[in-house]
Amino acid sequence: MSSPTSPSPLTLRSFWHDLPREGKLLLSVVVFEFIGTGLVLPFNIVYLHEVRGFALGDAGLLLALPPLVGFLVVGPGGAAIDRWGARRILVGALVLQVIGNVTLAFASTQALAAVALLMSGVAFGVSWPGFQAFIAAVIPSELRQRYFGVNFTLLNLGIGIGGLVAGAFVRVDHLPTFQAIYLGDAASYLPALFLMLVPLRHVAGRVEHHGDGSAAKVSYLDVVRRPAVASMLLLSFVSSYVGYSQLNAGMPAYARSVGEISTRGLGFAFAANTLVIVLLQLVVLQRIEARRRTRIIAVMGAVWAVSWLLLGATGLVSGTWGATMLVAACASVFAFGETLLQPTVPALVNDLAPDHLRGRYNAASSAAFQLAQIIAPPIAGFLIGHHLDSVYIGTLVVGCLLLGVLAVVRLEPQLPPGVNGVREPELVADPDAVPEPTPKTRTSTLE
């Protein structure tokens, strides 16, 4: 819940000043870690197919392993976070990432590549809920929205730098250049691992369970039965389906097959996406401070609807410079929506979650997000491949508008105002605000 003490007005200096030491340490390694991600992210399929010589279909199946395994382990991972603490789980995940990337750098057979990607998938599945729970353990509630926003900016900056470096360095006819970027990705996890093992070893250990220990036996079904959680999971699924799942799969496919833009034009669009996030995130954080998070999500849905309409317009000017500009505009407008989403949803989930169930709450949200990423690409491929371009764009626009309805009409009435980002002065001034539950009502094992 929100602290009665409001943070300072948002500037980079005030944000850094307000952060606890542990938060400063965590942010200090984000860019470096995601430079490693940026090194390899655009080139995984190129490495497996063109460099290692695996058939394109086999390479696609190999790259489907991490998200699939991640989805399968996220549930047990969330329970493990609640039982043993986020830090221990993250140490294991970081070690797996290091070993997986080193193995992939020297994977001359499909079997070895599969082992490497399976390790990365396990790490991927527990890392998201693990880091969210860890951050919530060290960042006060009133600073979480700011923290998640700044973290997202640094993450994108790192990926952008890594992509530029790798693009200028790798050569398809020279295997050692690809081995170097995977070893670089492995090395990028070492600073975070050091933080977990040394300066932050006292943070986010096993959560203390008071009473008869029944809280430790709370199942995911018990968690999902809470109305606000069920609505939050539905919102996470829809936002993933109409959002990142399309940006990473549907948008490039549509841009290439319908808009007929070049691969260079597609790279330009993704660069524009990153640039907008880096330039706008702090400005957006200042504008959304203390506003209802559900309303921010609704605005984001409208922004994303505009971005998909811009993508749809590429079909009117296929194969031209105008199509490339429209795809870049789509990616840029989408990025503006991202700056609204990334600070709000993680903060909302963690303000909603009781400490002893934070792993399960974050894992459930992650599972809903990942499920959409598994479902969306085949649907997008079918619609685009069967020339149902208008149906594809229309479903995305409708989905974005539905997102706003879910946020405002369904989720908002189920949230205490503090969880929804409203500070105490507004609670006093707003007689229609949903009141905070009193301690007497918090008797469920979910609390």
Side-chain angles (χ1 to χ4, degrees):
M1 303 299 174
S2 296
S3 168
T5 304
S6 297
S8 308
L10 180 57
T11 63
L12 280 177
R13 177 177 294 181
S14 68
F15 169 74
W16 189 257
H17 176 269
D18 291 340
L19 271 186
R21 170 180 173 271
E22 294 84 358
K24 293 174 181 177
L25 288 173
L26 283 174
L27 280 183
S28 68
V29 300
V30 170
V31 172
F32 187 79
E33 180 177 340
F34 282 91
I35 285 176
T37 302
L39 288 174
V40 301
L41 189 61
F43 300 107
N44 285 320
I45 191 69
V46 175
Y47 174 63
L48 294 176
H49 175 52
E50 298 185 38
V51 179
R52 285 299 181 183
F54 303 154
L56 186 58
D58 293 339
L61 289 174
L62 285 170
L63 291 177
L65 282 176
L68 177 60
V69 173
F71 177 74
L72 294 176
V73 304
V74 70
I81 291 166
D82 288 334
R83 182 173 182 180
W84 292 304
R87 187 188 67 83
R88 296 178 182 180
I89 302 303
L90 287 174
V91 167
L94 290 166
V95 169
L96 280 177
Q97 288 283 25
V98 172
I99 297 173
N101 275 283
V102 171
T103 304
L104 194 57
F106 299 98
S108 57
T109 66
Q110 292 186 27
L112 196 56
V115 170
L117 291 166
L118 281 171
M119 286 190 284
S120 294
V122 173
F124 172 76
V126 300
S127 291
W128 187 1
F131 271 112
Q132 303 283 46
F134 192 91
I135 288 166
V138 301
I139 305 298
S141 174
E142 65 272 11
L143 291 177
R144 284 178 195 155
Q145 183 166 293
R146 296 180 175 188
Y147 183 94
F148 284 121
V150 173
N151 182 79
F152 184 61
T153 303
L154 296 176
L155 178 157
N156 276 274
L157 180 61
I159 290 176
I161 293 172
L164 289 172
V165 171
F169 174 72
V170 296
R171 288 165 41 198
V172 174
D173 59 349
H174 197 47
L175 172 62
T177 62
F178 280 84
Q179 291 176 320
I181 63 174
Y182 282 99
L183 293 176
D185 191 22
S188 72
Y189 294 103
L190 295 178
L193 183 59
F194 173 79
L195 285 184
M196 296 294 166
L197 291 174
V198 184
L200 299 180
R201 63 184 180 277
H202 63 289
V203 177
R206 181 179 299 183
V207 179
E208 294 295 331
H209 299 280
H210 302 289
D212 61 3
S214 61
K217 300 177 182 178
V218 174
S219 69
Y220 278 102
L221 184 59
D222 295 324
V223 171
V224 173
R225 280 175 176 164
R226 187 180 183 187
V229 175
S231 298
M232 189 69 236
L233 296 183
L234 180 59
L235 187 141
S236 293
F237 176 84
V238 175
S239 66
S240 177
Y241 182 89
V242 301
Y244 288 105
S245 301
Q246 305 303 332
L247 181 72
N248 295 328
M251 190 272 275
Y254 192 98
R256 291 283 291 155
S257 64
V258 179
E260 299 178 5
I261 75 167
S262 66
T263 54
R264 179 174 296 181
L266 197 57
F268 173 70
F270 277 97
N273 175 272
T274 299
L275 181 62
V276 169
I277 291 170
V278 172
L279 293 178
L280 286 189
Q281 184 66 86
L282 185 61
V283 176
V284 170
L285 281 172
Q286 292 171 330
R287 298 297 185 272
I288 66 176
E289 189 82 11
R291 298 185 183 275
R292 293 183 185 274
R293 291 165 177 163
T294 46
R295 309 290 174 87
I296 296 166
I297 294 169
V299 172
M300 179 210 72
V303 169
W304 278 359
V306 172
S307 75
W308 298 133
L309 288 172
L310 288 169
L311 178 66
T314 60
L316 302 175
V317 288
S318 300
T320 67
W321 178 83
T324 299
M325 291 299 100
L326 282 169
V327 172
C330 164
S332 300
V333 173
F334 186 93
F336 173 48
E338 290 181 78
T339 65
L340 296 169
L341 174 75
Q342 288 297 333
T344 52
V345 172
L348 199 159
V349 171
N350 281 283
D351 284 353
L352 189 63
D355 288 342
H356 64 284
L357 295 177
R358 204 174 296 284
R360 287 174 173 85
Y361 273 60
N362 281 290
S365 177
S366 176
F369 191 91
Q370 292 181 46
L371 180 62
Q373 291 192 311
I374 294 171
I375 294 173
I379 296 176
F382 175 84
L383 292 175
I384 296 169
H386 286 77
H387 307 291
L388 298 172
D389 311 332
S390 298
V391 176
Y392 173 69
I393 296 297
T395 56
L396 294 186
V397 172
V398 171
C400 289
L401 300 178
L402 175 63
L403 190 61
V405 174
L406 286 173
V408 175
V409 177
R410 176 165 179 168
L411 180 59
E412 185 170 307
Q414 298 170 339
L415 295 176
V419 172
N420 204 11
V422 183
R423 291 184 186 162
E424 294 299 326
E426 184 175 336
L427 296 184
V428 174
D430 185 1
D432 297 322
V434 179
E436 292 275 6
T438 62
K440 185 177 179 180
T441 64
R442 295 182 178 176
T443 57
S444 167
T445 56
L446 297 184
E447 298 291 346

